[in-house]
Amino acid sequence: EAGVTQSPTHLIKTRGQQATLRCSPISGHTSVYWYQQALGLGLQFLLWYDEGEERNRGNFPPRFSGRQFPNYSSELNVNALELEDSALYLCASSLEYRGETQYFGPGTRLLVL
Amino acid sequence: SQQGEEDPQALSIQEGENATMNCSYKTSINNLQWYRQNSGRGLVHLILIRSNEREKHSGRLRVTLDTSKKSSSLLITASRAADTASYFCATDKTGGSYIPTFGRGTSLIVHP
């Protein structure tokens, strides 16, 4: 069974541009979570989607947004990129709403120049 | 601030030795999980311990939970070079949003 997949693996952008990151959950998983892992800061929760709805949002500005598609895959969009947005963006999925265990993808490393 | 904080920040040991890392948290929890991350890749779930459990084992891993001290420990016995990774604890707060809160991790290096 395929795990959580993310694309692209690496993304280089310049300040002010927009970035789109994609995630496909494990088959049968309905919940998708996005995290930002900046150097030395651990994982910071960004967004949680379940059944196409945004269920929760972390303490990030509105230029971080996303959506979940009918097939449960998800996109994370970051507008007006800033240098400090450079980080590893991790997507995770869980089997059900409020699923206890999350399964992580390999991440997208975003570099903003 | 982080709900869970791992200690130490970094740990360097020889192959065959045991590695112990700790996690402290601030508020009551439903469960606590440990994850491993290899060199900036995705996290791998290791073990989940619920608030009414005190100890769990999985292979060479042993996790304890002391809710009175709001702390947990992860013991890796007979460590191997392949155990080199960062280890994170994640807590699910009681009455919370079911979003696990991660600490900053312990970086473990096992020398062959």
Side-chain angles (χ1 to χ4, degrees):
Chain A
E1 181 183 280
V4 177
T5 59
Q6 292 186 245
S7 63
T9 55
H10 293 80
L11 190 56
I12 300 176
K13 294 282 188 177
T14 55
R15 282 175 59 188
Q17 286 189 315
Q18 183 207 22
T20 298
L21 289 62
R22 296 180 178 83
C23 171
S24 291
I26 291 173
S27 178
H29 286 195
T30 62
S31 275
V32 170
Y33 309 78
W34 287 96
Y35 294 88
Q36 182 195 68
Q37 187 179 27
L39 198 61
L41 290 182
L43 273 74
Q44 304 291 321
F45 166 68
L46 270 164
L47 290 159
W48 170 25
Y49 292 96
D50 183 79
E51 297 284 358
E53 300 285 333
E54 183 181 300
R55 300 296 182 181
N56 208 331
R57 182 183 182 85
N59 189 25
F60 280 84
R63 58 190 186 83
F64 286 84
S65 66
R67 54 180 172 167
Q68 186 178 34
F69 300 99
N71 66 354
Y72 303 117
S73 67
S74 177
E75 268 184 7
L76 173 67
N77 295 293
V78 188
N79 294 320
L81 284 165
E82 300 178 0
L83 297 179
E84 51 266 33
D85 296 333
S86 295
L88 180 68
Y89 289 83
L90 292 165
C91 170
S93 71
S94 67
L95 183 59
E96 58 191 6
Y97 182 73
R98 297 177 179 174
E100 288 179 322
T101 298
Q102 297 184 358
Y103 298 85
F104 283 80
T108 292
R109 191 164 293 280
L110 173 64
L111 177 61
V112 182
L113 302 175
Chain B
S1 64
Q2 303 289 117
Q3 157 74 335
E5 293 288 349
E6 293 90 345
D7 173 70
Q9 286 189 335
L11 182 59
S12 180
I13 60 175
Q14 294 294 128
E15 219 170 20
E17 294 180 340
N18 295 342
T20 300
M21 50 206 90
N22 304 295
C23 171
S24 59
Y25 55 91
K26 296 185 174 75
T27 62
S28 296
I29 59 172
N30 293 317
N31 62 62
L32 185 146
Q33 302 184 63
W34 285 92
Y35 287 82
R36 183 186 74 226
Q37 184 179 36
N38 289 85
S39 59
R41 304 282 294 168
L43 277 70
V44 174
H45 181 259
L46 295 176
I47 201 163
L48 179 151
I49 187 165
R50 300 185 192 286
S51 59
N52 61 352
E53 297 175 312
R54 292 296 166 259
E55 187 171 314
K56 284 190 85 168
H57 297 255
S58 177
R60 293 183 296 113
L61 306 180
R62 172 179 169 251
V63 169
T64 62
L65 179 64
D66 187 335
T67 53
S68 66
K69 295 182 180 177
K70 291 187 171 57
S71 69
S72 173
S73 67
L74 170 66
L75 168 67
I76 303 173
T77 59
S79 64
R80 305 166 182 168
D83 295 328
T84 294
S86 292
Y87 292 82
F88 294 86
C89 69
T91 53
D92 177 16
K93 291 187 285 188
T94 304
S97 58
Y98 298 91
I99 304 296
T101 306
F102 288 81
R104 297 188 184 190
T106 291
S107 176
L108 173 66
I109 296 175
V110 182
H111 299 279

